[in-house]
Amino acid sequence: MRPRRVQPVSLAAALGGLDAALPAITVDGAPVGDSAVASLQVTGVAVDSRDAAPGDLYIAVPGAQRHGAEFTAQAAAGGAVAVLTDADGAALIGAGPHPSALPVLVAERPRLLVGPLSAAVFASQPADAARPALFGVTGTNGKTTTTYFINALLRALGRTTGLIGTIEILAGAEAIPSTLTTPESPQVHSLLALMRERGLGAAAMEVSSHALEYGRVDGVVFDVAGFTNLTQDHLDLHGDMESYFAVKASLFGAARSGVGVVTVDDEWGTRMAAAATGPVVTLRTDPDAPEAPADWTVEAIEPAGLGHRFTLRGPGGTALALSTGLPGTFNVSNAALAAVMVLASGVDPEDLQRAAAAHDPFTVQVPGRMQLISDAPTGIVDFAHNPDALVRTLAAVRRPDPGSRVIIVFGATGQRDETKRPIMGAAAARLADVVIVTDDDPHDEDEAQIRRGVLDGALAAVRAENLACEVLEVFPRAEAIEAAVAMAGERDTVLVAGRGHEVWQEIKGVNHALDDRVELAASLTRHGFSVRTPVAIES
């Protein structure tokens, strides 16, 4: 999704505004300014040769398996007018069977230039023109729901909005499916330029640790950045929790965000607020957390239907009566964070209170996040795919009815942090009555090996803690869902966790159609249970 009109920019102008600390760019060993290439006009940036469009600068960077320079001919066929790469990439281009007809620019670390050049070429956030207010949300869990809440609240306040995240990308009313939590940097900047072109008032974006680590939000400035929480996940990328924390904390630098809103329910949140180098607003949402000073606090949480009512109390005696219709007190935290982030952008508390009362923005359905498929039994699909999220979700779905059971179907993703598999298995055994271990997205890893990691944790907990939980291994996933529904009664809860909104299961490089919501609804119907109509499949 690109803006319809992009003013051509010379490479000299695009490069001229870059930070001097960024890698120098040369042509044939000389500074680019000394070359005729400096006057070349570009209208876009691409890091994937398949995305290259007429007028693009193709930035060829090393990948996990192949170097982007190997695909320069494909970028040229798409209309790219120049290629920027590193010395290895330049050598590949020169040694290829079909040497590139494009000018080749060389920098020591071209990946560092992708974001700043995209910002300059697409003019995504110009200082001298109106642009959407940008809200970024990071943290292990709750990013998606919080951005949906922000989006709904801003609409309730009369803003036209955009959304960039795991499930979909919205530019006003237009929606497209999303394949990454945060798209690549050229796509982010072109989307922001498109939103500016369409006159949107605000946009909310999920900011994953992968996006920060790989530079996908380089060159982006957030008006308000928010932090949900930090729990074990993605250690396959970051190695340890300290490194994971450091990557998340980089979002709250003064050059990256105007103001940060940090949830300080635990030590990680407290440390995040302290590490920020820009202005910070703190939020405490857990009444059971150790007492700590915070600018905003959540109080008086009480059940209301499937969700909760609560009071958000802030500076100067401000007290807002808010509610969310989504299950789980973690959604109270997500709603409170969304509210404080919007307040931090300059919205008056009285206006926010009126909008919340009139439009109920924190009850917006988020695809695959605590999505209710049926009422009797309670059938729920959720994205919980790490230990903390699984614990919170299992606690939230337990019904008070005497004799009711929780039956969970879940697995673990292949080629990801293996250490969390037994932890998740043990957590499920402690909090569910029946645990059905199945396949998630195995990718290229052996499915049985992944299941064994989860099963070992569940069975070890059952033995060591004398748990009454029944642990089963059923695969493939559709059969596991069928087995869960077959043993469920009307007072039970069937929770299918781990994949949420996803509609494809990747096995050995092949995508197989599989949507937990569709499978659960079909199984419920086959067994004579009523399904909520419609079961929204937005993604």
Side-chain angles (χ1 to χ4, degrees), residues 408 410 420-438 448-474:
I408 182 173
F410 80 110
K420 71 181 182 181
R421 294 173 188 173
I423 300 172
M424 292 169 63
R430 294 186 187 108
L431 293 169
D433 300 285
V434 181
V435 172
I436 301 178
V437 177
T438 190
Q449 177 178 310
I450 301 169
R451 295 194 301 269
R452 177 49 52 190
V454 180
L455 283 164
D456 285 348
L459 293 171
V462 168
R463 290 191 297 267
E465 302 170 34
N466 196 28
L467 302 174
C469 175
E470 181 180 3
V471 179
L472 304 171
E473 180 182 16
V474 182

Side-chain angles (χ1 to χ4, degrees), residues 139-161:
T140 305
N141 301 314
K143 296 186 295 295
T144 299
T145 301
T146 302
T147 55
Y148 268 75
F149 284 170
I150 291 170
N151 190 49
L153 178 56
L154 290 167
R155 286 187 178 186
L157 287 160
R159 307 267 190 97
T160 52
T161 61

